[in-house]
Amino acid sequence: MAGFQMLFLLVLSCVAASLRSPRQLPPCQVVQMDVFCSDLSLRSAPVNLPHGIQMLDLSRNMLQNLTHETLAFHTSLHQLNLHSNKIHFIQPGLFKDMANLKVLDLSRNYLDVFAHSKTNIGPLTAVESLDLSSNGLYTGMTDYFIGESPSLANLSLNGNSITKIAKNTFCGSLALRNINLHNNVILEIEDGAFDTLLHLTELDLSKNSITCITDFNLSQLKVLNLSKNSMETFQTTDSDIVYDLLYLDLSENKIPYFPLLPRRNKLMYLDVSRNRLRSVNVTGTAEELANFGDTFLAHAPPDSSTRHQIFSNLIYLDLSYNQIKSIPHSFFCSMISLEVLNVSNNCIGSFFVDQEGLLENLKVLDLSYNALQKLSFEENTLQSLEELFLQGNVLTTLDPRIFQRLPSIKSLQLQQNDLKICVSQQKQTKPPLKYQNHYNPPGCVAFSSVPTLQFLYLSENNLKALPEFAFYNTPLKLLDLSLNPGLEMDPNSLSGLENSLVHLYLRENNISKLNTDLSSLSSLKFVDLSTNQLTTLPLWNKESSIESLNLQNNNLVTLEYNTVLALERSLKTLYMGSNPLSCCSNLRFLHMVQRSAVVVPDIETVTCVYPQDSEPVNIERVTHELCHTLDNRSVSIIVIVVIVVVVLIIVLGLLFKLCHSRRRKHNRSFNA
């Protein structure tokens, strides 16, 4: 009977399930004439969409066969997004009647399956932008998709498996302006493959396997990206034609010599970083070529102005991560517009700018991580330089006034060198000026009276002393003196920065006591004193504007009440981990952490110790009541000890008296 009841209930549940309406998928979003149906697990477009829609987004669904029925016979579309489906079949002629379709995204599907059938999808009469990226397409397959695309201007074939660009690849889409072939495995480009594309202005061939280009002749091209290939040569066809190329990226290749570029060009951006350049010569050795400019003169017509037209428009030049040992100043003679020069991570031992007017528009110069030992800037050079990167070199001796010759300098990156700092001549108070060499260390560099300098990085310079008035008349906003173990700061070393300094970094200097008065720095907001040996905090007054303070990894036991009170007004972020704090001696600090708006990001590592306990506890677990209880317990113990001591004294007194009285009785009996 029980089995029959269970069977009856099962039948009823099945009937109820069959009568239940099918699962409703979330509806598409309709915004005016645009319909968004992405991520709905659809196998076709919904049939109840408004008539005459212009944009349909069916991305990230389950579409497999693309037919008129799949698209619900919508022919008025301007944009169709089918990105990330499972499409492996397209009905031939499907897009023929879509006379207004301008943008078609078929990326991340399985169109290689369709291409195996060797069937054309039919004309894309009006399509201007077509995305076929990440479809597993290889050489020859693109013909079935773009063979009849007279209006196509933008084509993306990114992330496929194309190995060769044939001469007739783009013959059905002569209006192309932008082609993206990034991340394929292109080994060969047939001669003339792009020659018929008279409107082509942008070509991305990055991340392929191209080994050389010896006859670049696409004079109408404006943007060319050849980065991340295996190129060993880039050479332009010898011609007097003016090339429109503005952007050329040759980074991450194997080029040993500077590329041979068009004599007459408009180039503004050139990246040759991460190659194998040993010099800036365009061919061979120094014996074969005196310098880069002369090589171009050898190819150029006899015109005295030709040399100055070579790179007269160049704004950005990146030669970083190569093996360059030296750069002659003649290399820069034609670069009258250059604003950014990056030659970091090379083998350059010396760098001189000694010709007036040279690099006069340069704003950023990156010489970091070379082998620089000599550096010189003459007067009236680098007049526009704002950022100078010199970190990671072996600079020990510089002209003391080298940075005062840079009238626009804002940021100096000098970390990881071996420099010494001069005292300001204007405020020198110890020896007179004629004895300056006895007071200033030999080879020191002056950072005073640089009126535009705002950011100065001097970490890891083996600095031992920071003299008085070191930055006088230099309105620094940021000063990094970290990682200079044993640094001794004169009490007046930061004088002159009272109204400007906002960031001060002094971490890992083995400082046990900060002699400099930081309370006078009224604009100071961010201070890093971590990983030192501080036992007390610097004094701050109520006018303190400190917002972020890092005191991690010091020897702080007790924080001064007045200092905590002054900081509490402005402090927003505090790092305090890895200090041997006393729990009950820092109740004001605990109150600030637990009840104020101060954020302690490393709160889990901030611990303290109770007087009678050696095990540290997290400061969040400390309460005033517990400390008071401990104080009362301590008082009780002290009272008990005092009482015991008093009782012992009384007992000892009584015993002494008793013994003394007995001795007197004994003496009297003896005399009798």
Side-chain angles (χ1 to χ4, degrees):
M1 186 67 181
F4 177 77
Q5 289 178 343
M6 290 183 64
L7 181 61
F8 179 72
L9 290 173
L10 182 61
V11 171
L12 280 179
S13 65
C14 291
V15 171
S18 64
L19 294 175
R20 196 179 300 140
S21 59
R23 183 174 66 91
Q24 293 294 322
L25 292 173
C28 298
Q29 293 184 356
V30 180
V31 180
Q32 295 181 348
M33 301 306 291
D34 297 341
V35 180
F36 301 89
C37 301
S38 60
D39 288 301
L40 297 179
S41 299
L42 299 175
R43 295 185 179 277
S44 63
V47 295
N48 56 347
L49 296 178
H51 180 72
I53 61 174
Q54 295 183 0
M55 194 281 286
L56 176 59
D57 184 355
L58 288 167
S59 60
R60 295 185 294 276
N61 280 290
M62 306 292 288
L63 279 70
Q64 296 182 9
N65 298 318
L66 206 57
T67 63
H68 290 290
E69 291 79 7
T70 306
L71 298 178
F73 294 95
H74 289 289
T75 58
S76 60
L77 294 173
H78 289 206
Q79 297 182 43
L80 176 59
N81 188 349
L82 296 164
H83 166 78
S84 294
N85 278 274
K86 298 183 178 181
I87 300 170
H88 56 261
F89 173 77
I90 300 176
Q91 182 178 343
L94 174 64
F95 304 106
K96 181 180 179 180
D97 297 327
M98 296 185 183
N100 298 316
L101 186 62
K102 305 289 185 182
V103 180
L104 176 59
D105 189 344
L106 289 165
S107 60
R108 292 192 177 275
N109 281 283
Y110 300 96
L111 297 184
D112 57 324
V113 178
F114 173 78
H116 277 298
S117 66
K118 298 183 179 181
T119 304
N120 291 316
I121 64 170
L124 300 175
T125 308
V127 173
E128 296 178 357
S129 179
L130 175 62
D131 194 341
L132 296 170
S133 59
S134 300
N135 269 289
L137 302 175
Y138 52 83
T139 303
M141 286 187 170
T142 56
D143 298 351
Y144 306 118
F145 302 96
I146 63 173
E148 300 176 80
S149 308
S151 302
L152 189 60
N154 302 296
L155 172 64
S156 178
L157 292 165
N158 171 31
N160 284 289
S161 301
I162 300 168
T163 60
K164 178 181 178 181
I165 305 298
K167 188 174 182 178
N168 61 347
T169 299
F170 305 108
C171 64
S173 47
L174 299 180
L176 278 169
R177 294 196 303 266
N178 184 340
I179 302 176
N180 185 350
L181 286 159
H182 169 77
N183 193 22
N184 279 271
V185 284
I186 297 171
L187 293 162
E188 181 184 357
I189 301 175
E190 284 189 356
D191 290 342
F194 300 104
D195 288 357
T196 56
L197 304 178
L198 302 180
H199 304 285
L200 186 65
T201 56
E202 296 185 30
L203 177 58
D204 189 346
L205 289 164
S206 59
K207 202 173 182 180
N208 280 284
S209 302
I210 303 168
T211 57
C212 68
I213 292 181
T214 56
D215 56 352
F216 175 66
N217 63 347
L218 302 178
S219 59
Q220 83 285 4
L221 207 61
K222 292 185 177 180
V223 177
L224 175 58
N225 190 345
L226 284 162
S227 64
K228 299 181 181 178
N229 277 276
S230 300
M231 287 201 309
E232 298 181 1
T233 303
F234 181 89
Q235 187 169 345
T236 308
T237 301
D238 188 11
S239 170
D240 289 329
I241 297 175
V242 177
Y243 280 69
D244 293 331
L245 193 63
L246 301 175
Y247 176 108
L248 176 59
D249 191 344
L250 298 170
S251 62
E252 298 190 54
N253 280 284
K254 300 177 181 179
I255 301 173
Y257 310 119
F258 199 83
L260 187 57
L261 300 170
R263 284 200 305 272
R264 303 178 66 187
N265 65 73
K266 302 176 182 178
L267 200 61
M268 299 177 67
Y269 178 104
L270 176 59
D271 190 346
V272 201
S273 64
R274 299 182 185 274
N275 276 277
R276 298 178 180 178
L277 299 183
R278 292 185 176 273
S279 73
V280 291
N281 298 334
V282 294
T283 58
T285 62
E287 289 76 17
E288 298 170 327
L289 181 64
N291 57 63
F292 177 59
D294 290 342
T295 296
F296 274 103
L297 286 175
H299 288 280
D303 180 0
S304 59
S305 64
T306 302
R307 178 170 185 164
H308 299 285
Q309 294 175 0
I310 298 169
F311 289 124
S312 58
N313 297 302
L314 193 63
I315 294 175
Y316 180 99
L317 175 60
D318 192 344
L319 298 169
S320 61
Y321 291 93
N322 280 286
Q323 302 166 31
I324 301 170
K325 293 184 178 180
S326 64
I327 303 179
H329 73 269
S330 57
F331 177 69
F332 303 115
C333 284
S334 68
M335 300 181 186
I336 57 176
S337 302
L338 193 65
E339 295 183 2
V340 179
L341 173 60
N342 187 351
V343 287
S344 65
N345 294 275
N346 278 281
C347 310
I348 300 171
S350 59
F351 190 87
F352 303 101
V353 182
D354 53 8
Q355 183 177 329
E356 186 173 342
L358 196 65
L359 296 173
E360 61 183 357
N361 288 307
L362 194 68
K363 295 181 179 180
V364 179
L365 174 57
D366 193 342
L367 287 159
S368 60
Y369 301 103
N370 277 279
L372 274 181
Q373 293 180 304
K374 297 180 180 179
L375 181 70
S376 176
F377 307 136
E378 295 301 322
E379 297 285 351
N380 300 318
T381 62
L382 300 173
Q383 295 292 287
S384 302
L385 190 65
E386 297 179 357
E387 298 179 55
L388 177 57
F389 298 84
L390 293 167
Q391 67 267 31
N393 282 285
V394 286
L395 294 171
T396 57
T397 303
L398 292 173
D399 182 336
R401 297 183 58 78
I402 184 172
F403 300 123
Q404 276 116 348
R405 295 196 187 101
L406 304 175
S408 304
I409 193 67
K410 292 181 180 179
S411 177
L412 275 175
Q413 300 264 1
L414 287 163
Q415 55 268 46
Q416 299 175 22
N417 283 285
D418 196 6
L419 298 174
K420 304 175 186 66
I421 301 177
C422 302
V423 67
S424 169
Q425 292 183 8
Q426 291 86 343
K427 297 292 290 186
Q428 197 167 2
T429 59
K430 296 184 180 178
L433 189 59
K434 64 180 180 179
Y435 300 119
Q436 178 182 344
N437 291 335
H438 296 286
Y439 178 60
N440 278 326
C444 67
V445 183
F447 293 104
S448 59
S449 298
V450 188
T452 57
L453 187 59
Q454 298 179 18
F455 305 93
L456 178 59
Y457 300 84
L458 287 165
S459 63
E460 294 185 78
N461 263 278
N462 197 30
L463 289 173
K464 297 302 180 185
L466 192 64
E468 62 176 353
F469 306 108
F471 312 105
Y472 192 74
N473 281 339
T474 298
L476 292 178
K477 291 183 178 180
L478 182 149
L479 176 60
D480 187 355
L481 295 165
S482 303
L483 294 155
N484 287 294
L487 176 66
E488 293 186 9
M489 300 175 65
D490 187 275
N492 294 318
S493 59
L494 301 181
S495 294
L497 301 178
E498 289 82 2
N499 299 318
S500 64
L501 195 63
V502 177
H503 301 259
L504 177 61
Y505 302 125
L506 291 166
R507 70 182 186 280
E508 295 188 51
N509 282 330
N510 289 337
I511 299 173
S512 57
K513 184 178 180 181
L514 200 60
N515 298 324
T516 305
D517 183 11
L518 299 184
S519 63
S520 62
L521 303 174
S522 59
S523 298
L524 194 61
K525 293 184 178 181
F526 304 91
V527 182
D528 189 348
L529 293 166
S530 62
T531 317
N532 282 290
Q533 298 177 11
L534 292 173
T535 56
T536 59
L537 279 183
L539 293 177
W540 273 289
N541 54 37
K542 292 182 180 180
E543 303 303 318
S544 168
S545 58
I546 302 294
E547 295 182 4
S548 176
L549 178 60
N550 192 337
L551 296 169
Q552 289 176 321
N553 296 299
N554 276 282
N555 295 324
L556 295 169
V557 176
T558 303
L559 306 182
E560 293 291 335
Y561 174 81
N562 290 336
T563 300
V564 174
L565 190 64
L567 288 174
E568 188 175 9
R569 187 182 63 84
S570 61
L571 199 62
K572 296 178 181 178
T573 306
L574 175 65
Y575 296 85
M576 274 295 300
S578 301
N579 277 284
L581 293 171
S582 167
C583 293
C584 297
S585 299
N586 292 287
L587 293 180
R588 178 72 192 185
F589 166 69
L590 297 175
H591 175 82
M592 181 181 72
V593 171
Q594 294 172 354
R595 299 187 182 182
S596 73
V598 177
V599 176
V600 184
D602 63 341
I603 188 72
E604 294 181 359
T605 64
V606 184
T607 59
C608 61
V609 179
Y610 287 113
Q612 78 289 351
D613 195 352
S614 61
E615 288 296 322
V617 297
N618 189 272
I619 61 167
E620 291 185 295
R621 295 167 52 191
V622 178
T623 62
H624 290 64
E625 293 76 14
L626 185 56
C627 285
H628 291 321
T629 301
L630 291 172
D631 290 342
N632 294 335
R633 188 181 302 169
S634 299
V635 170
S636 301
I637 292 173
I638 291 172
V639 170
I640 292 171
V641 170
V642 170
I643 292 173
V644 169
V645 170
V646 170
V647 170
L648 285 174
I649 292 172
I650 294 173
V651 169
L652 289 174
L654 291 173
L655 287 174
F656 177 78
K657 240 176 146 182
L658 182 61
C659 291
H660 184 68
S661 61
R662 285 184 177 181
R663 186 181 297 173
R664 290 180 60 185
K665 287 180 181 180
H666 177 71
N667 290 337
R668 285 198 301 269
S669 62
F670 177 78
N671 291 331

